[in-house]
């Protein structure tokens, strides 16, 4: 599987990774929302650069967990784990339940509060527009300092991380963030010596066991309640989908009516010109 190594010791906070992500994915101008948590992420900002201890900076994005809790929590299959590694989503399937937001241990997925029919959005590691074309993500390609580096093989990524720590023990925190936490992640972090990345969601108490296993261990104890909730949310999803279909049909009807009106006016003008002649 593929992955990204983010080396906090190299990040200068230039935000070129953010700009590249915005341009590549057509995210447009960022409009902060009071419901977001102030870390720069949002429905139209899938990565951000935030201050870290000891006057350093660090990039925040989806960790693309090897066994993602968000995928396990999504009851309509809007979130999926690809064979290559990235966790992607289908906004057309999302019903806005926000279970994935509650399940994610790193608080990454964001809700598009600004939309009439809000959905979840997050980094997809440029899966559709780059990875499938055998290109690296826009963010890693844009980084001028090599602070965030793309690897086509996660094992090579981990080998590189271990090698950097071994060669520079006085420079790096010996912990590789994302190597084992919640089953491992596709985005790995190295921090400067003495810097704890707990503010990014990493925790000493975070289990190595994948969260989906823990989640289903609890859900198995309340199968009837969960099934009932699934039926309820499935019904909500169907209703939301029907509303979208109706809205699309109405919009198409309005567009067609406008076209018909223009065509009628043009024909009327032509007929008038003919009669004048």
């Amino acid at each position: 599987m593929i992955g990204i190594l983010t080396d906090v010791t190299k990040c200068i906070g230039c935000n070129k990774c953010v700009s590249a992500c915005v341009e590549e994915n057509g995210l447009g101008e960022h409009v902060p929302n009071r419901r977001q948590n102030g870390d720069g992420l949002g429905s139209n900002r899938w990565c951000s650069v935030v201050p870290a201890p000891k006057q350093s900076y660090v990039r925040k994005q989806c960790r693309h967990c090897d066994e993602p809790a968000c995928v396990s929590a999504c009851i309509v299959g809007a979130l999926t784990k690809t064979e290559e590694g990235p966790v992607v989503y289908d906004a057309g399937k999302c019903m806005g339940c926000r279970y994935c937001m509650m399940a994610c241990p790193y608080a990454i997925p964001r809700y598009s509060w600004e939309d009439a029919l809000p959905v979840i959005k997050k980094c997809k590691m440029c899966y559709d527009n780059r990875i499938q074309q055998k290109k690296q993500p826009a963010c890693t390609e844009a980084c001028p300092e090599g602070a965030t580096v793309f690897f086509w093989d996660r094992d090579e990524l981990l080998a590189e991380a271990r090698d950097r720590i071994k060669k520079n023990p006085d420079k790096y925190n010996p912990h590789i963030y994302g190597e084992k936490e919640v089953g491992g992640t596709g985005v790995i972090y190295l921090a400067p010596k003495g810097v704890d990345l707990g503010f990014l969601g990493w925790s000493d108490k975070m289990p190595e066991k994948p969260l989906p296993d823990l989640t289903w261990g609890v859900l198995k104890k309340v199968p009837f309640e969960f099934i009932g909730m699934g039926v309820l949310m499935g019904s909500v999803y169907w209703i939301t989908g029907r509303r979208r279909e109706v809205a699309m049909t109405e919009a198409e009807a309005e567009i067609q009516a406008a076209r018909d009106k223009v065509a009628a006016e043009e024909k009327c003008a032509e007929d008038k010109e003919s009669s004048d002649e």
Side-chain angles (χ1 to χ4, degrees):
M1 290 194 296
I2 63 179
I4 292 175
L5 172 61
T6 294
D7 189 332
V8 181
T9 69
K10 294 178 177 290
C11 184
I12 59 175
C14 67
N15 277 288
K16 288 187 177 180
C17 55
V18 178
S19 298
C21 176
V22 171
E23 182 178 355
E24 178 68 29
N25 296 287
L27 301 182
E29 183 180 355
H30 181 43
V31 180
N33 189 292
R34 63 182 178 83
R35 294 184 177 90
Q36 306 294 2
N37 63 12
D39 60 1
L41 294 182
S43 61
N44 64 348
R45 281 297 178 277
W46 300 345
C47 73
S48 65
V49 176
V50 297
K54 294 190 176 182
Q55 296 182 326
S56 56
Y57 298 91
V58 61
R59 191 160 75 94
K60 188 172 185 179
Q61 66 170 109
C62 173
R63 310 300 152 75
H64 297 280
C65 301
D66 290 351
E67 296 187 53
C70 60
V71 172
S72 176
C74 182
I75 62 177
V76 295
L79 285 155
T80 55
K81 175 76 172 178
T82 63
E83 183 178 350
E84 295 87 345
V87 177
V88 301
Y89 67 89
D90 184 343
K93 292 182 179 180
C94 180
M95 64 181 183
C97 68
R98 288 174 282 169
Y99 281 2
C100 58
M101 292 177 67
M102 293 184 281
C104 178
Y106 306 110
I108 295 298
R110 298 302 157 98
Y111 200 53
S112 61
W113 295 98
E114 66 278 7
D115 293 339
L117 292 171
V119 294
I120 290 296
K121 297 181 180 180
K122 71 167 195 67
C123 162
K124 296 187 284 186
M125 208 187 283
C126 292
Y127 179 73
D128 297 328
N129 41 342
R130 280 179 165 264
I131 297 301
Q132 291 189 313
Q133 281 72 52
K134 302 302 179 182
K135 298 178 182 178
Q136 66 173 305
C139 58
T140 58
E141 184 177 77
C143 182
E145 302 296 324
T148 182
V149 184
F150 178 74
F151 287 80
W152 286 104
D153 189 307
R154 185 175 182 271
D155 290 337
E156 292 181 6
L157 182 161
L158 289 171
E160 174 64 21
R162 295 188 189 104
D163 188 56
R164 292 189 188 189
I165 293 173
K166 182 179 180 179
K167 290 180 178 179
N168 299 280
D170 295 330
K171 180 179 180 180
Y172 291 102
N173 183 327
H175 182 71
I176 300 176
Y177 293 89
E179 179 180 12
K180 298 179 180 179
E181 287 88 347
V182 296
T185 63
V187 178
I188 306 298
Y189 286 78
L190 288 181
K193 189 79 171 182
V195 172
D196 183 0
L197 297 184
F199 66 96
L200 289 181
W202 306 106
S203 169
D204 293 338
K205 298 180 180 179
M206 189 172 283
E208 293 185 4
K209 188 174 183 179
L211 290 182
D213 292 345
L214 299 176
T215 301
W216 284 108
V218 174
L219 293 177
K220 286 177 182 177
K221 298 178 181 179
V222 287
F224 295 108
E225 289 83 351
F226 182 67
I227 292 172
M229 181 57 69
V231 171
L232 172 61
M233 297 308 290
S235 299
V236 171
Y237 174 59
W238 182 85
I239 293 170
T240 302
R242 285 293 301 151
R243 286 178 178 172
R244 286 178 180 167
E245 290 177 6
V246 170
M248 287 293 291
T249 301
E250 290 177 349
E252 290 172 358
E254 288 178 3
I255 292 172
Q256 188 58 50
R259 288 173 177 168
D260 293 342
K261 182 179 179 181
V262 170
E265 290 175 350
E266 289 177 349
K267 187 167 189 316
C268 182
E270 290 175 359
D271 292 342
K272 184 176 180 181
E273 288 178 3
S274 299
S275 62
D276 290 343
E277 293 175 357

